[in-house]
């Protein structure tokens, strides 16, 4: 997987200002929302994609962790993200960064994590590991946004 090798010294590329979110939130949704009959479907996610979940051996009552990016430019940000092949979101706790891995070897710095966000990022990484890498990224204008402008259900594959 891109960017995780022992000798890899690559640094994430900073997102252009126009593509950065103003706020980020670590949240979780029940796995059942992504299963057949659940509330998250291709019809209501805006731009983005949902990886299949039916073949994953996960407890039905478990929760999927994710990151919500809030931006006044949510539509443009979601459109740009839809043009990249998003692989996963990860929190580099040592460097205190939230990174979006894309394509084969591209990493984008989404945010620097303060002490509180670092703790949330640590919980996000732990939850992601417990769900075999399943996690999501949502893009919306604010907390009141009824439907996201973009949504990606992702599976981080182990090295």
């Amino acid at each position: 997987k891109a960017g995780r090798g022992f000798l890899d010294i690559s640094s994430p590329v900073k997102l252009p200002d126009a593509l950065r979110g103003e706020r980020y939130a670590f949240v979780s949704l029940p796995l059942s929302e992504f299963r057949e009959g659940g509330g998250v479907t291709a019809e209501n996610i805006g731009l983005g994609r949902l990886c299949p979940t039916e073949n994953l051996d996960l407890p039905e009552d478990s929760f999927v962790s994710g990151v919500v990016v809030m931006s006044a430019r949510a539509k443009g940000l979601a459109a740009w993200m839809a043009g990249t092949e998003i692989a996963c979101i990860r929190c580099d706790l040592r460097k205190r960064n939230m990174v979006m891995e894309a394509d084969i070897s591209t990493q984008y710095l989404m945010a620097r994590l303060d002490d509180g966000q670092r703790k949330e990022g640590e919980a996000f990484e732990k939850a992601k590991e417990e769900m075999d890498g399943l996690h999501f990224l949502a893009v919306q204008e604010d907390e009141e946004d009824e439907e996201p402008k973009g949504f990606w259900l992702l599976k981080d594959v182990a090295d």
Side-chain angles (χ1 to χ4, degrees), residues 30-45 147:
L31 176 62
S32 59
E33 288 294 315
F34 301 103
R35 302 284 193 172
E36 191 172 329
V40 179
T41 66
E43 288 75 44
N44 66 10
I45 63 168
E147 290 186 353

Side-chain angles (χ1 to χ4, degrees), residues 1-2 9 12 25 27 30 35 71 74-75 84 86-87 114 117 124 135:
K1 186 158 113 168
I9 57 170
V27 299
R35 302 284 193 172
S71 171
K75 221 178 226 177
T84 44
I86 301 172
D114 64 26
Q117 293 165 327
F124 168 76
H135 64 292

Side-chain angles (χ1 to χ4, degrees), residues 2-3 11-13 84-85 87 99-108:
S11 294
V13 177
T84 44
E85 191 61 38
V99 175
M100 178 177 72
E101 291 191 10
D103 304 318
I104 294 173
S105 61
T106 307
Q107 299 176 26
Y108 293 101

Side-chain angles (χ1 to χ4, degrees), residues 1-157:
K1 186 158 113 168
R4 299 247 187 123
F6 177 71
L7 296 175
D8 181 62
I9 57 170
S10 65
S11 294
V13 177
K14 214 171 169 188
L15 279 175
D17 287 345
L19 297 174
R20 265 189 281 178
E22 286 96 44
R23 288 173 312 181
Y24 300 86
F26 290 99
V27 299
S28 60
L29 291 170
L31 176 62
S32 59
E33 288 294 315
F34 301 103
R35 302 284 193 172
E36 191 172 329
V40 179
T41 66
E43 288 75 44
N44 66 10
I45 63 168
L47 298 170
R49 65 182 169 82
L50 301 172
C51 76
T53 62
E54 54 277 349
N55 294 329
L56 300 177
D57 186 25
L58 298 168
E60 285 302 314
D61 62 348
S62 54
F63 281 77
V64 180
S65 289
V67 175
V68 177
V69 178
M70 288 166 268
S71 171
R73 300 174 299 274
K75 221 178 226 177
L77 177 56
W80 177 81
M81 287 179 168
T84 44
E85 191 61 38
I86 301 172
C88 70
I89 303 299
R90 69 179 170 83
C91 293
D92 183 331
L93 302 173
R94 190 175 55 79
K95 293 181 180 176
R96 303 172 79 94
N97 291 337
M98 182 167 51
V99 175
M100 178 177 72
E101 291 191 10
D103 304 318
I104 294 173
S105 61
T106 307
Q107 299 176 26
Y108 293 101
L109 175 63
M110 294 183 70
R112 299 220 183 268
L113 305 174
D114 64 26
D115 288 343
Q117 293 165 327
R118 187 177 181 276
K119 282 186 174 49
E120 289 182 276
E122 188 173 8
F124 168 76
E125 287 297 325
K126 185 175 187 286
K128 194 168 74 168
E129 188 177 316
E130 290 170 358
M131 292 295 288
D132 290 335
L134 194 66
H135 64 292
F136 66 86
L137 170 66
V139 178
Q140 56 190 58
E141 289 178 3
D142 55 36
E143 296 91 344
E144 310 301 315
D145 218 349
E146 289 293 318
E147 290 186 353
K149 303 299 179 249
F151 191 99
W152 291 261
L153 181 62
L154 305 164
K155 186 155 182 352
D156 191 353
V157 289

